[in-house]
Amino acid sequence: MSTELHHNPAVVGAGSATALLRFATAGSVDDGKSTLVGRLLHDSKSVLTDQLEAVTHASLKRGQDAPDLALLTDGLRAEREQGITIDVAYRYFATARRRFILADTPGHVQYTRNMVTGASTAELAVVLVDARNGVVEQTRRHAAVAALLRVPHLVLAVNKMDLVDYAEPVFAAIAAEFSGYAASLGVPDVAAIPISALAGDNVVEPSAHMDWYGGPTLLEHLETVPVGTDPSAEPVRFPVQYVIRPQSGEHRDYRGYAGQLASGVLRAGDPVTVLPSGLTTTVAGIDVLGKDTGIAYAPQSVTVRLTDDIDVSRGDLISGGTPVEPTQDVTATVSHLNERPLAVGDRVLLKHTTRTVRAIVKAIPYAIDIDTLEHIDNPGTLRVNDIGRVVLRTAEPLALDPYATNRRTGSFLLIDPADGTTLTAGMAGESF
Amino acid sequence: MTATTAAEFVTPGEYSHPFALSHLDALEAEAVHIFREVAGEFERPVILFSGGKDSIVMLHLALKAFWPAPVPFALLHVDTGHNFPEVLAYRDRTVAEHGLRLHVASVQEFIDSGRLRERPDGLRNPLQTVPLLAGIESGRFDAVFGGGRRDEEKARAKERVFSLRDEFGAWDPRRQRPELWSLYNGRHSPGEHVRVFPLSNWTELDVWQYIEREEIDLPAIYYAHEREVFTRNGMWLTAGEWGGPKPGETVERRLVRYRTVGDMSCTGAVDSDAATVADVITEVAASRLTERGATRADDKMSEAAMEDRKREGYF
């Protein structure tokens, strides 16, 4: 399999359609994550001359004699001053095979919420470890967050292999320990790759120092891992975003329900249920951004027309296949994101798909020690970066799927009603 | 608008299942979702429209998102007074064609009335922030769409899709709301507004490939043409009444095109013979310079120029 990169990789795919992979990177402070990201961007020819010049100039100004590739990714004044990554940044690069959106997430313990943010949209997570240290607390934390967020693919990148003489037994032991831990989290797919981000081994180019490794380079793996899940295997979930009624001469009777299909394949003629009302009807037609196609599939943004003139508005869910039972009692695993703690008795807003309702925190049965996965019972509150279990009562019924079966209709936000601050990210149903 | 094709199905092997979306379809679906969220949650949204390719693509996406109904947003143009005439003509043509409402915030009016002072270097891009914020306030806009992309600049790479701005229009990168899944939080207090960036995840090349696929018409200055230019700070600037050339600067006729469209005082042309969209795609893919690095003077002023302007309320 070729890992050859063209000088202008994206143009090769310009005529045909290429797929998009969203992935996240996580690693502890000194594991070399910035170097890895810099190496991926640099070796895939995604760093352009003026960017490199700017980094070289900034590095010299700081008294460094070589360009510090970490400055490519640390974009804020405060980050560059302190030499750390504070917030998630998104990077874009392409090869002939794929387009990539990389959520570059900070490794600090106190920024767990940022890894949660990056992992929420990722289809793959790269967890970086230092070959000299092996699996440490932070590694388990990153793997647990990826598992909790149901990131479909996990990659263990064992970095700094150059500092352990490229020794196979070192790599094998770390890979075995990590796979065991991942299995206990229920992660189905783990790839382990020995690399040196600094020397460039197995990142983009295959290593000349590790003949014993027969697998793909990191980039090759990113290029070939299956993207997306097959929507035809899933029930239809279509949150209504907006009702389109032109009331113009040409389209006087047009009434379409606009939204992005969260899962499934929907066809004209299909029977559907509108939730939470429970009314049933059939699909009269489907318009994909201006054209009647008669079919739509996740994650397309489309407009659905229904046979019957029933009451459907923003916040409703058009559902097909296995029904979802609307409920006002929500049990979920949550990641608390804000400095203001979440406490039993708090009144909050809950945003689920296109619907926002009032809710009360009825109970916090436990917080999870993310290092050991042990439960801390009845903590009373969840503080920033805490992950725990929450029971909520909502003012109106919600059509929630378990997050385990649907990342889009199983996720929600808790919002402070006073000032609109995003407090908490929630995942309905059982975790791990 | 022309009806467009459904998703591009591609060769097996590239994808794991027959319903996978191409990267352009995925980006389009996401952007349309963002437009509809804003329409569903805000009272008075507006689209910042400069007549540049990103705002033109934004408008195209909005037209598709609400088809067959009209776009439920007005346009807001921050007119620096040093615009390219072709771009203003394009703007007015587009507004008329789609029956849109256009608001104009004029930098020249602010200078004439003494509320802004011309900079000694003549750059007008940094002066846009004040009329922009005044325009947002007088229009009472609560959501303001911008064509900003995260690939443009390192401070932009840190910006959320929904970016809350306080009553001064300011962006505080350390106090951004976390943004998870596609659950965008648009809540704001009176006086505050939210900047919304539907093209956050697009790159310059994505924009051009989408322009090609959708056959979107652009102002002619995006394609190679002969033009009277002179060099200043290493960039080819268009000669004109706005303030160039100065003594010692010589005008010459060159074959050029623009990669970005902004104020004439700080937007440089690049030498190019790319006369068609396909030529431009080839050129952009092979370029070793970023879009802004090649053609924007205002970003070169300091290491954190964009972050500093955004903190003041710039888009």
Side-chain angles (χ1 to χ4, degrees):
Chain A
M1 203 165 287
S2 161
T3 53
E4 186 193 342
L5 282 161
H6 303 265
H7 183 68
N8 47 0
V11 83
V12 178
S16 66
T18 51
L20 185 65
L21 176 72
R22 293 175 195 243
F23 72 106
T25 54
S28 303
V29 178
D30 294 318
D31 286 344
K33 190 174 64 62
S34 291
T35 313
L36 175 64
V37 171
R39 172 68 63 189
L40 260 181
L41 295 176
H42 184 266
D43 288 7
S44 63
K45 312 253 194 293
S46 307
V47 180
L48 301 184
T49 311
D50 54 316
Q51 293 171 317
L52 202 59
E53 269 171 16
V55 164
T56 307
H57 181 73
S59 304
L60 286 175
K61 235 168 72 182
R62 286 169 173 72
Q64 294 161 309
D65 48 9
D68 180 356
L69 290 182
L71 293 178
L72 281 172
T73 56
D74 290 340
L76 299 175
R77 221 174 240 290
E79 292 177 324
R80 295 161 83 92
E81 280 161 12
Q82 297 171 45
I84 59 161
T85 313
I86 292 171
D87 204 343
V88 185
Y90 294 88
R91 312 282 153 202
Y92 304 83
F93 66 103
T95 68
R97 288 173 171 173
R98 258 185 198 166
R99 297 300 184 91
F100 300 96
I101 300 178
L102 158 58
D104 185 14
T105 71
H108 274 271
V109 176
Q110 67 264 39
Y111 296 124
T112 298
R113 60 176 170 177
N114 285 331
M115 195 193 154
V116 171
T117 299
S120 73
T121 51
E123 287 197 67
L124 178 147
V126 179
V127 174
L128 204 63
V129 304
D130 185 326
R132 297 168 303 176
N133 305 330
V135 174
V136 295
E137 267 184 29
Q138 273 292 78
T139 319
R140 284 194 291 273
R141 181 184 291 265
H142 294 317
V145 170
L148 184 68
L149 271 290
R150 307 271 168 181
V151 180
H153 307 281
L154 196 55
V155 176
L156 173 74
V158 181
N159 191 26
K160 306 195 183 182
M161 286 301 293
D162 52 320
L163 301 182
V164 294
D165 298 325
Y166 297 105
E168 181 177 17
V170 176
F171 170 75
I174 296 170
E177 185 183 350
F178 185 82
S179 299
Y181 183 71
S184 75
L185 295 169
V187 177
D189 176 19
V190 182
I193 305 174
I195 66 167
S196 167
L198 196 65
D201 293 281
N202 287 338
V203 178
V204 172
E205 302 296 332
S207 172
H209 302 103
M210 291 180 273
D211 295 341
W212 46 263
Y213 173 71
T217 65
L218 177 59
L219 184 66
E220 215 178 311
H221 183 69
L222 295 173
E223 283 182 310
T224 52
V225 75
V227 171
T229 48
D230 184 353
S232 64
E234 299 167 358
V236 168
R237 299 288 185 262
F238 183 73
V240 175
Q241 265 190 298
Y242 191 77
V243 182
I244 294 179
R245 291 176 59 213
Q247 295 176 298
S248 61
E250 197 188 341
H251 300 282
R252 186 154 308 279
D253 298 323
Y254 188 97
R255 188 186 182 88
Y257 303 100
Q260 188 172 18
L261 212 61
S263 59
V265 178
L266 190 62
R267 292 177 174 84
D270 282 357
V272 289
T273 306
V274 180
L275 298 170
S277 70
L279 296 169
T280 56
T281 181
T282 52
V283 175
I286 299 170
D287 298 321
V288 178
L289 306 181
K291 191 182 179 193
D292 184 350
T293 58
I295 182 170
Y297 46 89
Q300 283 184 316
S301 278
V302 303
T303 307
V304 174
R305 288 173 278 121
L306 299 177
T307 308
D308 300 299
D309 195 11
I310 56 177
D311 177 18
V312 183
S313 56
R314 175 174 168 86
D316 288 346
L317 184 82
I318 293 174
S319 164
T322 321
V324 43
E325 195 63 46
T327 179
Q328 288 178 261
D329 295 295
V330 178
T331 304
T333 302
V334 302
S335 168
H336 189 60
L337 309 166
N338 198 269
E339 276 70 18
R340 197 175 314 163
L342 186 75
V344 175
D346 280 358
R347 286 167 185 272
V348 292
L349 294 171
L350 188 156
K351 179 164 180 152
H352 169 247
T353 64
T354 55
R355 175 175 283 248
T356 304
V357 300
R358 285 175 297 128
I360 301 174
V361 180
K362 301 297 279 186
I364 303 179
Y366 57 85
I368 296 173
D369 181 325
I370 200 77
D371 301 320
T372 62
L373 303 183
E374 280 169 10
H375 293 179
I376 303 148
D377 289 333
N378 299 311
T381 59
L382 292 176
R383 287 168 305 173
V384 64
N385 291 313
D386 280 354
I387 287 172
R389 197 84 177 138
V390 165
V391 180
L392 301 149
R393 172 78 183 172
T394 60
E396 295 163 49
L398 293 176
L400 276 158
D401 281 300
Y403 185 79
T405 58
N406 197 319
R407 284 172 91 182
R408 248 185 138 110
T409 54
S411 55
F412 61 83
L413 299 180
L414 299 183
I415 294 169
D416 188 328
D419 62 3
T421 304
T422 300
L423 298 172
T424 311
M427 291 151 276
E430 296 302 317
S431 54
F432 298 120
Chain B
M1 66 181 300
T2 52
T4 53
T5 55
E8 309 154 45
F9 289 96
V10 292
T11 46
E14 187 74 34
Y15 296 126
S16 47
H17 61 80
F19 294 114
L21 296 187
S22 74
H23 82 278
L24 282 183
D25 284 323
L27 292 172
E28 180 186 59
E30 178 181 71
V32 165
H33 171 79
I34 292 163
F35 276 110
R36 290 166 169 178
E37 278 301 284
V38 170
E41 297 234 315
F42 290 83
E43 293 293 322
R44 290 177 67 85
V46 72
I47 299 178
L48 285 178
F49 189 82
S50 66
K53 65 182 186 312
D54 299 311
S55 54
I56 291 168
V57 165
M58 265 209 302
L59 180 61
H60 182 85
L61 287 160
L63 286 162
K64 292 184 85 168
F66 300 100
W67 181 93
V71 174
F73 316 125
L75 301 186
L76 173 61
H77 181 221
V78 183
D79 184 342
T80 65
H82 290 164
N83 289 295
F84 294 91
E86 302 93 318
V87 174
L88 289 182
Y90 181 97
R91 177 195 77 182
D92 295 338
R93 205 164 63 232
T94 303
V95 165
E97 185 187 339
H98 300 296
L100 298 161
R101 229 159 8 103
L102 174 72
H103 302 266
V104 177
S106 161
V107 172
Q108 190 64 52
E109 270 177 29
F110 273 69
I111 292 173
D112 293 346
S113 66
R115 286 174 287 173
L116 271 180
R117 199 155 52 151
E118 192 90 75
R119 295 160 53 100
D121 61 10
L123 295 186
R124 283 199 167 176
N125 241 23
L127 298 184
Q128 290 186 79
T129 303
V130 174
L132 167 67
L133 294 178
I136 290 170
E137 197 180 335
S138 68
R140 290 179 290 115
F141 299 120
D142 55 357
V144 182
F145 288 103
R149 309 187 319 263
R150 289 177 179 142
D151 81 315
E152 282 181 83
E153 209 276 338
K154 55 191 181 296
R156 283 243 163 102
K158 297 275 178 179
E159 180 132 14
R160 305 287 187 250
V161 174
F162 272 41
S163 178
L164 182 67
R165 302 298 178 102
D166 65 16
E167 68 263 48
F168 302 102
W171 180 62
D172 184 348
R174 301 193 86 153
R175 296 190 43 175
Q176 299 191 89
R177 287 174 180 163
E179 199 160 75
L180 295 95
W181 299 289
S182 50
L183 291 170
Y184 303 109
N185 178 358
R187 298 192 83 83
H188 59 283
S189 303
E192 296 177 338
H193 71 275
V194 176
R195 300 282 171 89
V196 182
F197 301 100
L199 305 184
S200 283
N201 287 321
W202 297 50
T203 65
E204 184 186 14
L205 202 55
D206 296 328
V207 167
W208 277 106
Q209 291 187 347
Y210 190 71
I211 287 166
E212 180 180 54
R213 188 184 89 173
E214 302 283 306
E215 300 178 1
I216 298 171
D217 179 39
L218 293 185
I221 64 172
Y222 276 110
Y223 304 105
H225 57 292
E226 282 210 359
R227 194 174 192 96
E228 301 220 310
V229 292
F230 64 94
T231 177
R232 183 183 290 174
N233 298 326
M235 288 191 315
W236 292 114
L237 298 182
T238 291
E241 284 175 12
W242 64 267
K246 287 178 186 165
E249 294 171 334
T250 347
V251 170
E252 52 185 294
R253 231 179 141 68
R254 293 184 78 89
L255 189 61
V256 296
R257 71 172 201 91
Y258 283 86
R259 278 176 82 174
T260 66
V261 164
D263 185 81
M264 280 172 133
S265 65
C266 57
T267 309
V270 292
D271 287 314
S272 170
D273 57 3
T276 64
V277 185
D279 294 345
V280 170
I281 288 172
T282 306
E283 184 185 283
V284 167
S287 172
R288 301 309 301 153
L289 288 177
T290 64
E291 178 182 334
R292 300 195 82 89
T295 65
R296 285 301 179 96
D298 42 341
D299 292 338
K300 295 180 175 174
M301 290 192 288
S302 85
E303 206 182 313
M306 174 73 88
E307 181 181 345
D308 294 345
R309 272 182 293 144
K310 282 164 68 67
R311 281 175 180 275
E312 289 167 11
Y314 192 74
F315 31 90

